[in-house]
Amino acid sequence: MVAERRERYIPGQEALSNLPRLIEESVRETQGLQRQFTGFKHGMDLLSWHKKTDRFKYVHGETQRLKRGVRKSRDNNILHDNFAGVVFQNVAYSFCALSCDESKVVFSPEKTSEFWTMLYPNKEIVSHFFGQEALKNVYVPNGILVDKSKSFVFKPLEYSLVRMNEENLEKKLKSIRIQQKRFPGLFAESSVEFVIPTTFPLPELKGEREGIEFLQLPFTRVQFGHFIRDLYNGMR
Protein backbone atom coordinates (compact mmCIF):
# COMPACT_ATOMS: atom_id res chain seq x y z
CA MET A 1 0.00 0.00 0.00
CA VAL A 2 1.42 3.36 -1.06
CA ALA A 3 0.93 6.15 1.43
CA GLU A 4 -0.82 9.20 0.04
CA ARG A 5 1.53 12.14 -0.25
CA ARG A 6 0.14 15.36 1.17
CA GLU A 7 1.28 18.78 0.09
CA ARG A 8 2.87 20.83 2.84
CA TYR A 9 0.48 23.45 4.18
CA ILE A 10 1.71 26.99 3.72
CA PRO A 11 0.15 29.66 5.97
CA GLY A 12 -1.81 32.10 3.83
CA GLN A 13 -1.87 29.78 0.81
CA GLU A 14 -5.51 30.57 -0.05
CA ALA A 15 -4.87 34.29 0.21
CA LEU A 16 -1.79 34.06 -2.00
CA SER A 17 -3.63 32.06 -4.66
CA ASN A 18 -6.39 34.72 -4.74
CA LEU A 19 -3.98 37.64 -4.79
CA PRO A 20 -3.81 37.95 -8.62
CA ARG A 21 -7.63 38.20 -8.79
CA LEU A 22 -7.71 40.82 -6.03
CA ILE A 23 -4.96 42.77 -7.78
CA GLU A 24 -6.95 42.79 -11.03
CA GLU A 25 -10.10 43.96 -9.24
CA SER A 26 -8.14 46.63 -7.35
CA VAL A 27 -6.64 47.95 -10.58
CA ARG A 28 -10.18 48.37 -11.95
CA GLU A 29 -11.23 50.17 -8.74
CA THR A 30 -8.27 52.53 -9.12
CA GLN A 31 -9.19 53.22 -12.73
CA GLY A 32 -12.71 54.08 -11.56
CA LEU A 33 -11.26 56.50 -9.02
CA GLN A 34 -9.08 58.08 -11.69
CA ARG A 35 -12.17 58.79 -13.79
CA GLN A 36 -13.95 60.33 -10.80
CA PHE A 37 -10.90 62.50 -10.07
CA THR A 38 -10.44 63.65 -13.66
CA GLY A 39 -9.06 67.18 -13.54
CA PHE A 40 -7.74 66.91 -10.00
CA LYS A 41 -4.19 68.08 -9.43
CA HIS A 42 -2.01 68.19 -6.35
CA GLY A 43 -2.62 71.45 -4.55
CA MET A 44 -6.37 71.39 -5.20
CA ASP A 45 -8.88 70.89 -2.38
CA LEU A 46 -8.79 67.11 -1.90
CA LEU A 47 -11.79 67.05 0.45
CA SER A 48 -14.05 68.92 -1.96
CA TRP A 49 -13.03 66.63 -4.79
CA HIS A 50 -13.70 63.56 -2.68
CA LYS A 51 -17.36 64.60 -2.39
CA LYS A 52 -17.73 63.71 -6.08
CA THR A 53 -16.77 60.06 -5.59
CA ASP A 54 -19.15 57.11 -5.40
CA ARG A 55 -17.60 56.07 -2.07
CA PHE A 56 -18.45 59.41 -0.49
CA LYS A 57 -21.97 59.51 -1.92
CA TYR A 58 -22.74 56.07 -0.48
CA VAL A 59 -21.41 56.87 3.02
CA HIS A 60 -23.09 60.29 3.06
CA GLY A 61 -26.41 58.80 1.97
CA GLU A 62 -26.27 56.03 4.57
CA THR A 63 -25.36 58.49 7.32
CA GLN A 64 -28.21 60.77 6.34
CA ARG A 65 -30.63 57.83 6.46
CA LEU A 66 -29.36 56.65 9.86
CA LYS A 67 -29.39 60.17 11.29
CA ARG A 68 -33.14 60.45 10.74
CA GLY A 69 -33.68 57.65 13.26
CA VAL A 70 -31.29 59.00 15.92
CA ARG A 71 -33.03 60.21 19.08
CA LYS A 72 -30.29 60.25 21.75
CA SER A 73 -27.35 62.66 21.77
CA ARG A 74 -24.98 59.79 22.58
CA ASP A 75 -26.09 57.87 19.47
CA ASN A 76 -25.77 61.07 17.45
CA ASN A 77 -22.15 61.47 18.60
CA ILE A 78 -21.36 57.84 17.74
CA LEU A 79 -22.82 58.23 14.25
CA HIS A 80 -20.90 61.49 13.73
CA ASP A 81 -17.60 59.86 14.77
CA ASN A 82 -18.19 56.80 12.58
CA PHE A 83 -19.03 59.06 9.64
CA ALA A 84 -15.80 61.01 10.21
CA GLY A 85 -13.73 57.82 10.51
CA VAL A 86 -15.05 56.21 7.33
CA VAL A 87 -14.80 59.42 5.28
CA PHE A 88 -11.19 59.90 6.41
CA GLN A 89 -10.41 56.28 5.57
CA ASN A 90 -11.87 56.70 2.09
CA VAL A 91 -10.05 59.99 1.49
CA ALA A 92 -6.76 58.39 2.57
CA TYR A 93 -7.38 55.36 0.35
CA SER A 94 -8.19 57.55 -2.66
CA PHE A 95 -5.08 59.68 -2.13
CA CYS A 96 -2.81 56.62 -1.78
CA ALA A 97 -4.40 54.76 -4.70
CA LEU A 98 -4.00 57.73 -7.05
CA SER A 99 -0.46 58.54 -5.90
CA CYS A 100 1.27 55.16 -5.89
CA ASP A 101 3.81 53.89 -8.40
CA GLU A 102 2.35 52.30 -11.56
CA SER A 103 3.98 48.97 -10.69
CA LYS A 104 1.90 48.77 -7.51
CA VAL A 105 -1.74 49.01 -6.50
CA VAL A 106 -3.45 49.94 -3.24
CA PHE A 107 -6.19 47.63 -1.98
CA SER A 108 -9.33 49.36 -0.75
CA PRO A 109 -10.38 48.75 2.88
CA GLU A 110 -12.94 46.22 1.58
CA LYS A 111 -10.41 44.33 -0.56
CA THR A 112 -7.91 44.36 2.32
CA SER A 113 -10.54 42.89 4.64
CA GLU A 114 -11.40 40.21 2.06
CA PHE A 115 -7.72 39.30 1.73
CA TRP A 116 -7.25 39.09 5.52
CA THR A 117 -10.33 36.89 5.84
CA MET A 118 -8.52 34.38 3.62
CA LEU A 119 -5.43 34.60 5.84
CA TYR A 120 -7.61 33.73 8.85
CA PRO A 121 -10.46 31.59 7.45
CA ASN A 122 -11.55 30.34 10.88
CA LYS A 123 -11.86 33.73 12.54
CA GLU A 124 -15.24 35.31 13.21
CA ILE A 125 -16.21 38.21 10.93
CA VAL A 126 -17.51 41.28 12.74
CA SER A 127 -19.67 43.83 10.89
CA HIS A 128 -19.38 47.57 11.46
CA PHE A 129 -21.03 50.72 10.16
CA PHE A 130 -21.50 51.14 6.39
CA GLY A 131 -21.03 47.43 5.65
CA GLN A 132 -17.40 47.35 6.72
CA GLU A 133 -16.05 44.12 8.18
CA ALA A 134 -13.27 43.16 10.57
CA LEU A 135 -11.97 39.94 12.10
CA LYS A 136 -12.49 39.25 15.77
CA ASN A 137 -9.21 39.45 17.75
CA VAL A 138 -7.13 39.90 14.59
CA TYR A 139 -5.42 43.07 13.42
CA VAL A 140 -6.47 44.03 9.89
CA PRO A 141 -4.70 47.02 8.26
CA ASN A 142 -6.77 49.73 6.57
CA GLY A 143 -5.04 49.04 3.28
CA ILE A 144 -2.10 47.29 1.66
CA LEU A 145 0.27 48.34 -1.09
CA VAL A 146 0.76 45.37 -3.42
CA ASP A 147 3.28 44.72 -6.17
CA LYS A 148 1.18 44.02 -9.29
CA SER A 149 3.68 41.86 -11.18
CA LYS A 150 5.23 39.83 -8.36
CA SER A 151 2.02 39.46 -6.31
CA PHE A 152 3.23 40.20 -2.81
CA VAL A 153 2.37 42.75 -0.15
CA PHE A 154 4.85 45.59 -0.36
CA LYS A 155 3.67 47.15 2.90
CA PRO A 156 0.55 47.61 5.05
CA LEU A 157 -1.09 51.03 5.27
CA GLU A 158 -2.62 52.45 8.42
CA TYR A 159 -4.95 55.45 8.07
CA SER A 160 -5.02 57.36 11.34
CA LEU A 161 -7.20 60.40 11.98
CA VAL A 162 -6.48 60.26 15.72
CA ARG A 163 -3.29 62.00 16.78
CA MET A 164 -0.72 59.25 17.32
CA ASN A 165 1.51 59.14 20.37
CA GLU A 166 4.30 56.72 21.20
CA GLU A 167 1.98 54.33 23.04
CA ASN A 168 -0.58 53.79 20.26
CA LEU A 169 2.17 53.75 17.62
CA GLU A 170 3.90 50.91 19.45
CA LYS A 171 0.61 49.05 19.81
CA LYS A 172 -0.09 49.29 16.08
CA LEU A 173 3.47 48.28 15.20
CA LYS A 174 3.33 45.23 17.46
CA SER A 175 0.16 44.03 15.71
CA ILE A 176 1.71 44.60 12.29
CA ARG A 177 4.95 42.81 13.17
CA ILE A 178 2.96 39.76 14.30
CA GLN A 179 1.41 39.56 10.82
CA GLN A 180 4.75 40.02 9.06
CA LYS A 181 6.34 37.20 11.10
CA ARG A 182 3.36 34.87 10.72
CA PHE A 183 3.37 35.20 6.90
CA PRO A 184 7.04 35.75 5.98
CA GLY A 185 6.51 34.84 2.32
CA LEU A 186 3.73 37.37 1.94
CA PHE A 187 5.40 40.62 2.97
CA ALA A 188 8.25 41.99 0.86
CA GLU A 189 9.79 43.90 3.74
CA SER A 190 9.10 45.02 7.28
CA SER A 191 8.04 48.58 6.46
CA VAL A 192 4.68 50.13 7.33
CA GLU A 193 3.22 53.48 6.28
CA PHE A 194 0.99 55.61 8.49
CA VAL A 195 -1.25 57.97 6.52
CA ILE A 196 -2.18 60.97 8.65
CA PRO A 197 -3.39 64.59 8.37
CA THR A 198 -0.71 67.27 8.14
CA THR A 199 1.00 67.08 11.54
CA PHE A 200 3.77 69.05 13.22
CA PRO A 201 5.80 67.58 14.74
CA LEU A 202 5.54 64.04 13.40
CA PRO A 203 5.00 61.23 15.95
CA GLU A 204 8.21 59.76 17.34
CA LEU A 205 9.31 56.43 18.76
CA LYS A 206 12.11 56.04 21.25
CA GLY A 207 12.73 52.45 20.18
CA GLU A 208 12.05 51.01 16.74
CA ARG A 209 12.14 53.51 13.88
CA GLU A 210 13.41 51.54 10.89
CA GLY A 211 10.79 50.87 8.24
CA ILE A 212 8.26 53.32 9.69
CA GLU A 213 7.02 55.91 7.20
CA PHE A 214 4.53 58.75 7.42
CA LEU A 215 2.50 60.12 4.55
CA GLN A 216 0.81 63.42 5.34
CA LEU A 217 -2.46 64.30 3.63
CA PRO A 218 -2.89 67.90 2.37
CA PHE A 219 -5.14 69.05 5.24
CA THR A 220 -4.94 69.31 9.02
CA ARG A 221 -7.15 67.59 11.60
CA VAL A 222 -8.82 70.93 12.30
CA GLN A 223 -9.65 71.43 8.61
CA PHE A 224 -11.01 67.90 8.36
CA GLY A 225 -13.05 68.41 11.53
CA HIS A 226 -14.70 71.53 10.06
CA PHE A 227 -15.38 69.67 6.81
CA ILE A 228 -17.15 66.81 8.64
CA ARG A 229 -19.04 69.11 11.01
CA ASP A 230 -20.48 71.16 8.16
CA LEU A 231 -21.49 68.03 6.24
CA TYR A 232 -23.04 66.33 9.25
CA ASN A 233 -24.92 69.38 10.51
CA GLY A 234 -26.23 70.00 7.01
CA MET A 235 -27.88 66.57 6.79
CA ARG A 236 -31.67 66.51 6.98
Side-chain angles (χ1 to χ4, degrees):
M1 183 177 179
V2 180
E4 181 183 354
R5 183 179 178 182
R6 296 183 179 180
E7 292 186 7
R8 185 170 64 90
Y9 172 73
I10 302 173
Q13 195 165 23
E14 181 188 358
L16 281 170
S17 64
N18 278 279
L19 197 51
R21 171 182 65 82
L22 294 173
I23 288 173
E24 186 178 333
E25 292 173 357
S26 295
V27 168
R28 288 200 295 269
E29 285 186 1
T30 302
Q31 290 169 344
L33 270 177
Q34 288 170 338
R35 287 191 292 272
Q36 293 170 56
F37 272 84
T38 299
F40 176 79
K41 297 178 181 179
H42 286 286
M44 291 183 175
D45 187 348
L46 176 63
L47 295 176
S48 293
W49 272 86
H50 181 71
K51 289 166 65 176
K52 303 177 182 181
T53 65
D54 294 338
R55 298 180 74 87
F56 174 82
K57 291 172 185 175
Y58 167 73
V59 173
H60 186 273
E62 280 295 288
T63 305
Q64 199 165 27
R65 180 182 64 81
L66 292 169
K67 189 180 179 184
R68 295 190 189 107
V70 170
R71 296 291 178 267
K72 298 179 181 179
S73 59
R74 178 178 176 274
D75 294 337
N76 190 62
N77 292 336
I78 291 173
L79 181 60
H80 172 279
D81 292 348
N82 277 283
F83 174 61
V86 174
V87 170
F88 178 80
Q89 180 176 259
N90 286 338
V91 171
Y93 158 64
S94 299
F95 187 83
C96 292
L98 296 172
S99 304
C100 75
D101 188 283
E102 288 188 4
S103 65
K104 300 177 180 65
V105 65
V106 174
F107 278 19
S108 68
E110 296 79 19
K111 281 287 182 285
T112 303
S113 178
E114 181 181 350
F115 183 68
W116 242 255
T117 301
M118 295 175 193
L119 290 176
Y120 294 91
N122 298 320
K123 289 292 184 179
E124 180 183 347
I125 297 175
V126 181
S127 296
H128 293 298
F129 274 86
F130 312 111
Q132 296 201 327
E133 295 180 340
L135 295 177
K136 190 173 183 180
N137 300 324
V138 173
Y139 164 78
V140 180
N142 298 127
I144 47 177
L145 182 64
V146 179
D147 188 288
K148 288 193 286 191
S149 59
K150 298 178 182 178
S151 295
F152 59 72
V153 177
F154 194 72
K155 60 185 169 186
L157 305 172
E158 189 65 35
Y159 309 142
S160 182
L161 177 58
V162 177
R163 183 177 293 277
M164 305 197 76
N165 56 32
E166 185 175 359
E167 183 180 351
N168 55 34
L169 253 180
E170 286 181 346
K171 186 176 179 180
K172 288 284 186 184
L173 280 172
K174 183 179 179 181
S175 299
I176 293 167
R177 297 304 185 223
I178 289 172
Q179 308 293 322
Q180 291 170 330
K181 289 177 181 177
R182 182 177 175 83
F183 306 105
L186 179 61
F187 292 92
E189 52 186 66
S190 59
S191 66
V192 56
E193 186 165 72
F194 292 92
V195 184
I196 59 176
T198 300
T199 303
F200 297 102
L202 284 173
E204 288 189 4
L205 277 173
K206 292 180 181 177
E208 180 183 2
R209 294 186 184 183
E210 188 175 348
I212 300 170
E213 303 169 16
F214 292 98
L215 174 63
Q216 298 189 72
L217 298 172
F219 53 81
T220 66
R221 285 180 180 82
V222 172
Q223 289 171 327
F224 184 77
H226 290 326
F227 173 73
I228 290 296
R229 182 197 63 196
D230 291 345
L231 284 172
Y232 192 79
N233 290 343
M235 291 179 185
R236 296 291 182 265

